[in-house]
Amino acid sequence: VLDGSLTPFPLEYPCHPPTKQRWVPMEATLVQGIDPPTVVVMHHDITERKRAESELQDSERRFQALTENSPDGMLLLSADGTILQGTSAGTLATGYGVDEGAGKSILDFIHPEDLARLKAVLANQGAREGTVCRYHHNKGRWRGVGGHASNLAPTPAGPAILSDPRY
């Protein structure tokens, strides 16, 4: 930084005194027009942010372990029916892998005669409704699916529907 070959750069690092853990970011910046060359180094305490980030990562790992090992098939849908996430238990019943449905509309897998009923569930904010419809299995046949859809909209993350189909 002093010789000008390195531009200002940030660096986060642990700075742990004997009594507690602390994290600080450092930014070193060359001050222009001063002789001799001078660098300003700034620090501030970001320990609380780092603690919150760590807790969030731990929570996400626990949730992922829960959903990946659940014996129930579950889908998280956007308000328009786009599949956001699913559990691996649904793979056996539908024949589709967990990632194969992500980003596609659940409506693309539902029998045409059952679409109106499912669209009504998707539109009913705050409701938990039982429904039965036919779901297209990847082997080409229609399979009856019953279950509940809980329209969680609006949530902090946006509109969402949790479906717990029973195959």
Side-chain angles (χ1 to χ4, degrees):
V1 174
L2 276 173
D3 69 11
S5 63
L6 188 61
T7 60
F9 70 96
L11 173 68
E12 290 184 2
Y13 63 96
C15 179
H16 304 315
T19 57
K20 67 178 186 173
Q21 286 195 338
R22 277 186 35 185
W23 280 85
V24 294
M26 178 207 60
E27 185 167 321
T29 306
L30 180 64
V31 178
Q32 299 292 326
I34 295 178
D35 193 33
T38 304
V39 173
V40 174
V41 178
M42 295 182 292
H43 292 89
H44 65 276
D45 190 346
I46 59 168
T47 304
E48 192 58 32
R49 187 195 85 200
K50 291 298 243 182
R51 184 197 57 74
E53 289 172 353
S54 178
E55 287 179 6
L56 179 60
Q57 289 172 349
D58 291 346
S59 176
E60 288 173 347
R61 280 192 290 273
R62 287 190 303 271
F63 180 76
Q64 184 175 6
L66 177 68
T67 57
E68 286 178 355
N69 295 293
S70 172
D72 295 323
M74 289 182 279
L75 293 173
L76 184 63
L77 310 172
S78 68
D80 66 358
T82 302
I83 300 169
L84 303 173
Q85 191 172 352
T87 61
S88 56
T91 300
L92 295 175
T94 64
Y96 296 100
V98 173
D99 295 330
E100 287 181 86
K104 297 179 182 168
S105 175
I106 188 71
L107 302 176
D108 294 340
F109 298 96
I110 302 300
H111 193 280
E113 294 173 9
D114 300 333
L115 283 173
R117 184 172 41 250
L118 189 60
K119 285 179 181 180
V121 170
L122 292 174
N124 194 359
Q125 287 192 5
R128 177 173 166 81
E129 298 184 30
T131 189
V132 176
C133 60
R134 289 163 284 181
Y135 190 91
H136 191 263
H137 192 278
N138 79 338
K139 298 288 187 204
R141 63 185 187 274
W142 293 102
R143 187 165 188 182
V145 178
H148 289 88
S150 299
N151 190 326
L152 308 173
T155 67
I161 291 112
L162 176 63
S163 174
D164 61 341
R166 303 291 181 229
Y167 305 97

